[in-house]
Amino acid sequence: MAIVPCLQKNPISKLQEFAQQGRIFSPKYEDLSVAEGKPGWKFVYQVYTRSKVPVNNENCLYTQLGYDQLYRYGNYNYRDYSCKGYGSSKREAKTNAAAKLLSELCGVKKPNSTSYTVHENGGEDVVEYKKNPISIIHEYTQRNALELKFMEGIEHGMFSCIVKVGALEMTGLGMNKRSAKSSAAVRMMEVLRNLKEGEHENMKPLNINEPPSNKNKTNRKKKNGSKTLHKGNLNDKKEIFSLPEIDVSSGKHPVSLLQEFCQKAGLDIPQYTRKGIFHTRISRNRIQNFDLFVTVKIGGKEHFASGCGTTIKAAKTLAATNMLKVIENKRAELQETLRISKSANKAVAKPTNPPNTEPQTEKSKIIEIDPKSQMNPLALVNQLFSPEITIEETPNKPDHRKEFVVTLKIGEETYKGTGNSKKKAKLIAAAACMEEKVGHCQYNTNAMEQSWNAEDFTPAELGFAKTVANLVHQKYDLVSKDVQDHEQKRKVLAGILIRSCDKADVSGIDDLQVLVVTTGTKCIDGSKLSSNGQALNDSHAEVLARRAFKRFLLEQIKRFHNQESSILVKSQTPPFLLTVKPGLSFHLYISTSPCGDARIYNMASPGETAATQNKQARGVLRSKIECGEGTIPVSNMNAVQTWDGVLAGERLSTMSCSDKLAMWNVTGLQGAVLTHFMEPVYFDTVIIGGCFSLYHITRALVHRVQGCEGLPDSYSIHKPLILPVSQQGQRIPSKSSAYSLNWILGEGSVEVTKTNSGKCVDSSPSRLCKNALFMKFHEVCEAVASKKPYDGRLYLDIKKDATSYQKSKESVVDNFKKNQYGNWIGKPIEQDMFSI
């Protein structure tokens, strides 16, 4: 596709016509496909030509002139031009090269450019404009109260534009309307720059470095300085006793006009409400129509206007138009109502500090709002504080999406918000501000309803959850900065942290420190199962976090027996295994609710309570989809998978993360192999970053295992504290990454693995695979004098020797069967039949 499809003639033909007319030398094309071809653009052509440039005229800017004015000057210099064009065919490449050359000859810049360069006197002098020439012309005419007109047309097969400022007119040509308008504006700028004082009435020479007029800003500051808004009531407005004029002839959209009218008049913003949907028939066709009305409150009285249309936008436009008509027809009446209302409010205004009462606290002076207010937090912040807003765009995100960071500055305090749009980032920053200033923010920055209430948790618990989430995200950003962009893409982030409540602890652990960070959302391809334990079966972030934590524990066991600093001590009760030091606790963070039963509910049904959702699917064990996302019930699946069956094409089943977390709340995080050295370890807190429903997550992780019986000593049904993150993450539809990352404290750099193969990107085994952990286990055995080596024994046999762990696991599996939740599905036994 050519760059300039708007031309009436092919750019190659148009360039040839210019050569025949003597405007340029005959263009030459050179094939550079072999040297400079690249994927997607196989062919590359470069076109060369030479053009005449007039000299001895400082006001002449040939690169901005139309061709019809070229021959007004007698002396010429020569200038060489060359442009490259890319395309999937030779013709497309040549066409693009010719189109670019035509644009350069006409002085046309790219539409997105913010810098316009003009060459004077054959290219010896360069004048660079950092601002759009059209904006400069607009500012000049507004500053000097001059009339400005742009008239568009077509000339010589190109777009033309005539710009008129007062009595001056200039013409510009271009490949499209925008470039023609810019060309005309640049030429007009040069005329205005060289204008002499008094040459034209009310016209002064243009100074491109002159700042824009501050007249409006000054007036705005005066208005803001004169208003008396009491912060304790959001309904108080500026003292305006007259309604502003409505300029219908301005060409603005009716919805925008009505919005501006309410803002200028100090009224509440218009409220649009849908009345319903009705259908009409036109020639056997059934047409859907939307009916809505708009409400504007003036002087305490509500005024209504309705509109209907085939789309919501059309209905809203008609309603706003009708409301503007109502305002114009009743202007005198409405103005008198507003005046009476304002005067009455002023007369009954009460002092902020009545006598014989204690002064209000600093916080109550700042804001007193209705806790049930559903007003947009950004509107509240703007109305109460008038903050300074700074917007930054974060470049080069791993998933190639834009990300904006908005900073709200109120005095010396700053509040930040991040989102994939400026509006989203502003809302998040404003919500953070309101939460800090008021202590609550009812506005939900997500499109989905969060099934939890702030009253269910203490401020300390919510603050702790927010701190944990921030630490995990900061650690991930730090360790993944050297990872390639396509490998950084993630949907789920998990981390495990350790907390020390004993300040005299000498284990080297800080008060709250990140131990492991992982990402991932997929499982291995069944055809790539490893018979020697060198592949990761499940690459979900929660599962990898637990495997990374097991490796951390193995290192701590080794350090203990080498008499080095460790988080473990010897238990004082038989069989005298190792246990975690008193005062230490472990906390799991997941950026979204775990897959499976904890996530099977409807987030978008505010009228539906958690107790009435998904009764039939509640509590059922679920299996992950091979090489994909999501889960399915296991009720109709066999409890045993076979190696040859999977290789023959049977779908490989892996238990969901919700089911595994429920299992770990009984069996512990250490797994079967580590049970030979230490007692069970449990999570004290599980923190969920998004898609949080306290009812469903508590049922999935805790309530389903309440009936477990016959647990061995030191095993119990653990009930972790489940907390949400106060600012939930945004749901962004996107494909899952084919990579997962893991980082472990003390293990050096981050490791990247492929989810479909379960191995590192260089096809080497991961440090989290069964084989690697078994090798780490052997190293610990060598360090423990009382443990005889396990050389030559199968990994499967060592797991079976952990009788207490196997008994606790059987109790959980039997409990699932007893409650008809389904069968626990295990992997083929052959994959554990390997040795070191």
Side-chain angles (χ1 to χ4, degrees):
M1 183 181 67
I3 290 179
V4 282
C6 57
L7 287 176
Q8 295 180 352
K9 291 186 178 181
N10 188 289
I12 301 176
S13 303
K14 195 67 181 178
L15 202 60
Q16 195 64 31
E17 285 184 8
F18 289 165
Q20 293 173 357
Q21 296 170 3
R23 301 179 177 183
I24 59 173
F25 286 78
S26 180
K28 305 294 182 183
Y29 295 89
E30 181 181 359
D31 189 356
L32 304 177
S33 303
V34 178
E36 300 187 20
K38 53 185 179 181
W41 303 100
K42 185 177 179 182
F43 297 95
V44 183
Y45 268 83
Q46 185 163 8
V47 58
Y48 303 90
T49 189
R50 174 174 289 185
S51 176
K52 297 178 180 179
V53 180
V55 297
N56 298 330
N57 193 326
E58 296 181 356
N59 295 332
C60 173
L61 301 173
Y62 168 69
T63 54
Q64 302 299 333
L65 293 178
Y67 290 112
D68 56 330
Q69 302 190 23
L70 175 63
Y71 294 101
R72 293 186 181 181
Y73 307 97
N75 300 321
Y76 302 94
N77 282 339
Y78 291 99
R79 181 181 298 172
D80 293 326
Y81 295 88
S82 65
C83 291
K84 291 181 183 179
Y86 298 85
S88 56
S89 64
K90 292 183 178 180
R91 180 177 181 83
E92 183 179 355
K94 292 178 69 174
T95 302
N96 288 339
K100 287 183 179 180
L101 184 58
L102 283 173
S103 298
E104 186 171 338
L105 288 169
C106 296
V108 179
K109 284 288 181 181
K110 293 181 179 179
N112 295 331
S113 176
T114 58
S115 175
Y116 291 77
T117 304
V118 179
H119 299 272
E120 299 186 5
N121 298 331
E124 295 176 0
D125 299 326
V126 177
V127 180
E128 186 171 329
Y129 303 111
K130 296 296 183 181
K131 190 181 293 187
N132 191 308
I134 301 175
S135 301
I136 295 177
I137 295 297
H138 274 285
E139 292 178 3
Y140 175 83
T141 54
Q142 291 173 2
R143 189 182 300 115
N144 295 278
L146 297 173
E147 182 182 8
L148 174 64
K149 288 185 179 180
F150 287 95
M151 294 168 284
E152 298 174 348
I154 296 180
E155 187 176 347
H156 302 296
M158 302 178 70
F159 287 97
S160 66
C161 180
I162 300 176
V163 57
K164 184 177 180 180
V165 177
L168 298 178
E169 289 187 8
M170 296 302 292
T171 304
L173 300 178
M175 299 297 108
N176 51 50
K177 294 180 180 179
R178 183 186 179 91
S179 59
K181 192 173 182 180
S182 299
S183 176
V186 171
R187 296 184 59 207
M188 179 58 73
M189 285 170 54
E190 295 308 313
V191 174
L192 295 174
R193 284 179 59 204
N194 296 280
L195 197 65
K196 297 180 181 179
E197 291 285 351
E199 186 174 350
H200 292 276
E201 185 178 359
N202 296 330
M203 297 183 68
K204 301 178 182 179
L206 171 63
N207 181 8
I208 60 175
N209 296 319
E210 183 179 353
S213 174
N214 293 324
K215 181 178 180 180
N216 294 333
K217 292 185 178 179
T218 304
N219 293 338
R220 192 181 300 118
K221 288 182 179 179
K222 289 181 180 179
K223 288 181 180 180
N224 293 338
S226 62
K227 68 179 182 180
T228 57
L229 174 62
H230 175 46
K231 301 297 184 181
N233 188 351
L234 297 184
N235 296 322
D236 294 340
K237 299 291 178 179
K238 293 180 292 186
E239 295 187 2
I240 300 177
F241 297 148
S242 61
L243 296 177
E245 296 294 331
I246 301 176
D247 186 9
V248 183
S249 62
S250 62
K252 291 186 178 180
H253 196 275
V255 176
S256 301
L257 281 174
L258 183 59
Q259 185 84 6
E260 291 180 1
F261 169 81
C262 292
Q263 290 176 350
K264 293 177 181 179
L267 306 174
D268 291 333
I269 60 175
Q271 300 294 329
Y272 295 87
T273 306
R274 188 188 300 183
K275 295 168 60 177
I277 301 176
F278 63 93
H279 297 81
T280 57
R281 286 189 176 273
I282 301 178
S283 182
R284 297 185 179 183
N285 293 326
R286 194 164 178 258
I287 307 300
Q288 179 175 269
N289 293 272
F290 296 90
D291 190 12
L292 56 80
F293 63 90
V294 59
T295 306
V296 174
K297 191 174 182 180
I298 302 177
K301 184 178 179 181
E302 294 183 343
H303 300 268
F304 303 91
S306 61
C308 62
T310 55
T311 63
I312 296 178
K313 184 176 180 180
K316 188 175 180 180
T317 302
L318 183 58
T321 303
N322 293 335
M323 177 56 71
L324 292 174
K325 293 179 180 178
V326 170
I327 293 173
E328 286 296 331
N329 294 336
K330 300 182 178 180
R331 174 172 289 275
E333 177 185 347
L334 296 178
Q335 187 164 306
E336 181 64 18
T337 302
L338 181 63
R339 187 191 67 79
I340 295 174
S341 175
K342 294 292 183 179
S343 300
N345 290 339
K346 187 176 181 181
V348 300
K350 297 181 180 180
T352 56
N353 280 324
N356 300 325
T357 60
E358 296 183 0
Q360 295 179 341
T361 62
E362 182 179 354
K363 192 168 187 176
S364 64
K365 286 182 181 179
I366 297 175
I367 303 176
E368 290 180 2
I369 67 174
D370 182 8
K372 298 182 180 180
S373 175
Q374 295 292 328
M375 187 179 288
N376 186 310
L378 185 59
L380 286 171
V381 171
N382 284 333
Q383 191 171 20
L384 294 168
F385 306 110
S386 301
E388 298 179 12
I389 301 178
T390 306
I391 302 177
E392 299 178 2
E393 182 177 348
T394 305
N396 302 326
K397 294 301 291 181
D399 48 4
H400 304 290
R401 289 184 291 106
K402 287 186 177 181
E403 188 172 86
F404 298 92
V405 179
V406 171
T407 303
L408 303 181
K409 186 176 182 181
I410 303 173
E412 298 298 327
E413 299 177 348
T414 58
Y415 305 90
K416 289 189 176 182
T418 304
N420 62 333
S421 66
K422 296 178 183 178
K423 181 179 179 180
K424 181 72 176 180
K426 287 180 181 179
L427 287 175
I428 294 176
C433 175
M434 293 302 297
E435 188 173 346
E436 176 72 20
K437 294 286 187 183
V438 187
H440 63 83
C441 181
Q442 296 291 331
Y443 185 82
N444 185 12
T445 54
N446 276 338
M448 301 181 297
E449 180 187 359
Q450 301 302 326
S451 303
W452 61 277
N453 297 318
E455 292 78 8
D456 297 334
F457 310 96
T458 65
E461 291 174 342
L462 293 177
F464 174 73
K466 188 174 182 180
T467 301
V468 168
N470 290 339
L471 287 175
V472 174
H473 282 272
Q474 290 171 9
K475 179 61 69 174
Y476 172 77
D477 293 339
L478 178 64
V479 301
S480 64
K481 61 182 180 180
D482 296 329
V483 180
Q484 297 186 22
D485 290 350
H486 66 282
E487 297 173 349
Q488 283 189 22
K489 184 180 178 182
R490 62 171 178 84
K491 292 187 84 172
V492 181
L493 173 67
I496 297 177
L497 298 87
I498 187 172
R499 187 181 189 183
S500 173
C501 297
D502 185 5
K503 299 301 181 181
D505 180 52
V506 293
S507 60
I509 299 299
D510 296 336
D511 182 35
L512 189 60
Q513 184 170 357
V514 180
L515 298 182
V516 300
V517 173
T518 56
T519 65
T521 51
K522 290 186 178 181
C523 297
I524 192 174
D525 188 339
S527 63
K528 297 180 181 179
L529 280 176
S530 174
S531 60
N532 56 5
Q534 293 187 349
L536 294 169
N537 295 329
D538 190 344
S539 291
H540 281 232
E542 305 94 310
V543 178
L544 292 181
R546 188 238 186 176
R547 298 191 69 84
F549 182 64
K550 288 165 64 176
R551 187 174 179 89
F552 173 79
L553 289 178
L554 282 169
E555 180 63 26
Q556 293 299 310
I557 296 172
K558 183 179 177 181
R559 291 173 64 88
F560 174 82
H561 287 286
N562 290 337
Q563 298 183 355
E564 299 177 12
S565 176
S566 173
I567 66 171
L568 303 176
V569 294
K570 181 155 289 204
S571 175
Q572 301 301 317
T573 59
F576 304 107
L577 298 175
L578 298 180
T579 185
V580 178
K581 286 182 179 181
L584 296 181
S585 57
F586 300 100
H587 311 270
L588 172 67
Y589 167 76
I590 314 172
S591 61
T592 184
S593 59
C595 65
D597 188 47
R599 205 188 293 176
I600 304 301
Y601 69 99
N602 189 2
M603 296 287 297
S605 297
E608 189 177 11
T609 63
T612 61
Q613 290 181 355
N614 307 306
K615 287 186 176 181
Q616 296 180 351
R618 186 176 301 164
V620 175
L621 297 178
R622 304 180 72 87
S623 168
K624 299 171 185 176
I625 297 176
E626 180 182 341
C627 292
E629 286 189 275
T631 59
I632 55 177
V634 301
S635 55
N636 297 326
M637 298 182 184
N638 296 325
V640 179
Q641 298 182 94
T642 60
W643 186 273
D644 50 349
V646 172
L647 294 182
E650 181 184 347
R651 182 174 59 214
L652 180 66
S653 297
T654 304
M655 299 307 296
S656 70
C657 293
S658 295
D659 301 334
K660 290 185 176 182
L661 282 166
M663 175 72 75
W664 300 341
N665 280 333
V666 178
T667 62
L669 305 172
Q670 76 291 335
V673 175
L674 271 70
T675 310
H676 291 285
F677 297 104
M678 64 183 300
E679 295 179 353
V681 180
Y682 300 100
F683 286 129
D684 280 53
T685 310
V686 176
I687 299 168
I688 309 297
C691 298
F692 182 88
S693 170
L694 181 61
Y695 178 88
H696 293 283
I697 292 178
T698 304
R699 183 200 67 244
L701 272 57
V702 179
H703 292 172
R704 291 192 299 168
V705 295
Q706 289 299 308
C708 296
E709 300 175 349
L711 295 176
D713 294 338
S714 72
Y715 287 86
S716 64
I717 302 173
H718 191 67
K719 301 177 182 178
L721 176 63
I722 300 175
L723 298 175
V725 178
S726 58
Q727 300 236 349
Q728 299 280 318
Q730 181 187 11
R731 177 186 179 274
I732 302 176
S734 61
K735 293 183 178 179
S736 295
S737 173
Y739 300 90
S740 63
L741 278 68
N742 68 81
W743 173 86
I744 310 172
L745 180 66
E747 292 277 347
S749 61
V750 66
E751 181 184 72
V752 183
T753 60
K754 291 184 177 180
T755 56
N756 64 339
S757 66
K759 295 185 178 181
C760 297
V761 290
D762 58 356
S763 299
S764 62
S766 169
R767 62 189 175 191
L768 302 184
C769 68
K770 294 181 178 180
N771 193 290
L773 293 180
F774 197 31
M775 291 180 63
K776 190 78 173 175
F777 173 78
H778 276 275
E779 294 179 10
V780 175
C781 289
E782 294 176 358
V784 181
S786 61
K787 291 287 184 181
K788 57 184 179 182
Y790 287 90
D791 294 341
R793 296 198 61 190
L794 296 178
Y795 177 75
L796 177 64
D797 294 337
I798 295 177
K799 289 177 66 176
K800 288 182 177 181
D801 287 347
T803 55
S804 60
Y805 179 88
Q806 297 299 339
K807 187 176 180 180
S808 65
K809 183 175 181 180
E810 290 175 3
S811 176
V812 178
V813 173
D814 292 341
N815 180 70
F816 286 147
K817 290 181 181 179
K818 180 179 65 175
N819 291 287
Q820 298 182 353
Y821 292 150
N823 296 323
W824 187 275
I825 301 176
K827 292 291 189 298
I829 195 173
E830 289 83 0
Q831 71 168 359
D832 289 343
M833 300 175 66
F834 67 91
S835 61
I836 301 300

